[in-house]
Amino acid sequence: MTDLTSPRPIRIGVQLQPQHADYREMRDAVRRAEDAGVDVIFNWDHFFPLTGDPDGEHYECWTMLGAWAEQTERVQIGALVTCNSYRNPDLLADMARTVDHISDGRLILGIGAGWFARDYEQFGYEFGTAGSRIAELGEALPRIKARLAAGNPAPTREIPVLVGGGGEKKTLRLVAEYADVWHSFGDVDTLTRKSAILDEHGEAVGRDTGRLVERSVGVGAPPEEVGQKLLDAGATLFTIGTSGPDYDLSLVEQWVRWRDERR
């Protein structure tokens, strides 16, 4: 069962969606987000906008993370989430190891099976099926772990792995086996139900997921509306998404204040 009495701290993340902005605006948003007191700054791993003009401005994920590693000083950084299909797993692990060193140990390696068909079609990747993409993720995760362990120099510490997804039979099994953070999609009831399923998988693989796997959720409402319910359900990492060109951080600032009131 999920350990709701755990002392794991409340953390606030922001996903700065790399769309509909030039890079100067993104750089400024990163600065403002770190100054606002967030714990984690995420981007996403797509090649085209997901909302608004489908052919609007957009930038690549991992080159951006390298720049963020140099620009920031305190926050953790990562992708919410990397698409496993777009890079050889050993290459991805080495990229992560490099960004880990550039950032002095502040990288979260977020990863998922992938879903956005246009990315695949336009960049020449085999889209396959949801099942085949999850199977490929299952093959990639142990390769990533092994390559990280073989790197010279080694990562600055064991890089935390965040897996995003909610498939109850396969994805949550992978979370139970490999993840340090699980990013859930859905409301409180969904989080509660799938969190229990995750813990069942944890028992099956011999891993205490209630203690070892942080629960992460995306939030789009003010904290007074959903914060305590999600916290009671076991979530401790709350991430607000915002898009260019303005990168409005007003909701992010509300969540940071809510976090601070509970520390």
Side-chain angles (χ1 to χ4, degrees):
M1 299 295 291
T2 302
D3 181 6
L4 301 183
T5 65
S6 169
R8 191 184 296 278
I10 297 171
R11 301 198 295 160
I12 304 302
V14 59
Q15 184 189 56
L16 300 178
Q17 300 159 358
Q19 59 177 11
H20 307 309
D22 63 38
Y23 193 73
R24 289 172 298 175
E25 291 164 324
M26 291 182 195
R27 185 187 297 114
D28 178 66
V30 170
R31 178 191 58 77
R32 290 189 288 115
E34 185 166 46
D35 289 348
V38 302
D39 300 286
V40 189
I41 302 178
F42 293 108
N43 59 11
W44 67 29
D45 189 20
H46 294 287
F47 304 130
F48 302 96
L50 298 186
T51 61
D53 179 2
D55 295 314
E57 292 177 292
H58 199 279
Y59 293 92
E60 194 274 331
C61 167
W62 274 89
T63 45
M64 182 178 296
L65 289 177
W68 289 4
E70 286 284 9
Q71 178 185 347
T72 57
E73 297 180 354
R74 176 189 56 80
V75 292
Q76 288 190 292
I77 57 173
L80 191 63
V81 289
T82 305
C83 177
N84 175 64
S85 305
Y86 300 159
R87 300 165 192 85
N88 172 285
D90 291 83
L91 171 62
L92 176 62
D94 213 39
M95 293 165 60
R97 182 183 64 90
T98 302
V99 174
D100 172 66
H101 277 276
I102 296 170
S103 66
D104 291 324
R106 293 182 289 114
L107 177 73
I108 297 173
L109 177 50
I111 192 167
W115 62 273
F116 189 42
R118 186 184 182 194
D119 283 347
Y120 287 79
E121 293 164 358
Q122 292 288 311
F123 277 69
Y125 296 106
E126 178 65 37
F127 189 54
T129 65
S132 68
R133 294 192 298 276
I134 293 170
E136 290 170 359
L137 177 61
E139 294 170 359
L141 284 165
R143 287 179 59 183
I144 289 169
K145 294 273 190 176
R147 180 55 57 191
L148 287 171
N152 184 13
T156 64
R157 84 290 195 226
E158 186 171 338
I159 298 173
V161 173
L162 177 154
V163 173
E168 296 177 7
K169 294 182 178 180
K170 296 179 180 179
T171 302
L172 291 181
R173 177 79 174 207
L174 295 177
V175 173
E177 289 184 271
Y178 298 106
D180 303 289
V181 186
W182 166 52
H183 186 74
S184 171
F185 302 90
D187 57 14
V188 173
D189 291 340
T190 301
L191 172 65
T192 301
R193 179 172 58 82
K194 294 194 176 187
S195 189
I197 294 170
L198 170 58
D199 289 340
E200 291 174 3
H201 285 300
E203 291 180 8
V205 302
R207 192 160 177 253
D208 184 358
T209 52
R211 181 175 63 86
L212 296 175
V213 180
E214 182 177 19
R215 271 58 170 177
S216 166
V217 293
V219 289
E224 60 268 20
E225 295 182 16
V226 297
Q228 191 60 49
K229 293 178 181 178
L230 289 168
L231 191 63
D232 291 343
T236 55
L237 174 54
F238 304 88
T239 297
I240 303 92
T242 182
S243 182
D246 297 329
Y247 292 109
D248 181 1
L249 299 182
S250 57
L251 183 59
V252 174
E253 291 165 350
Q254 292 179 46
W255 278 92
V256 169
R257 288 193 296 270
W258 177 84
R259 176 203 65 195
D260 292 346
E261 290 167 357
R262 282 154 182 77
R263 284 185 170 175

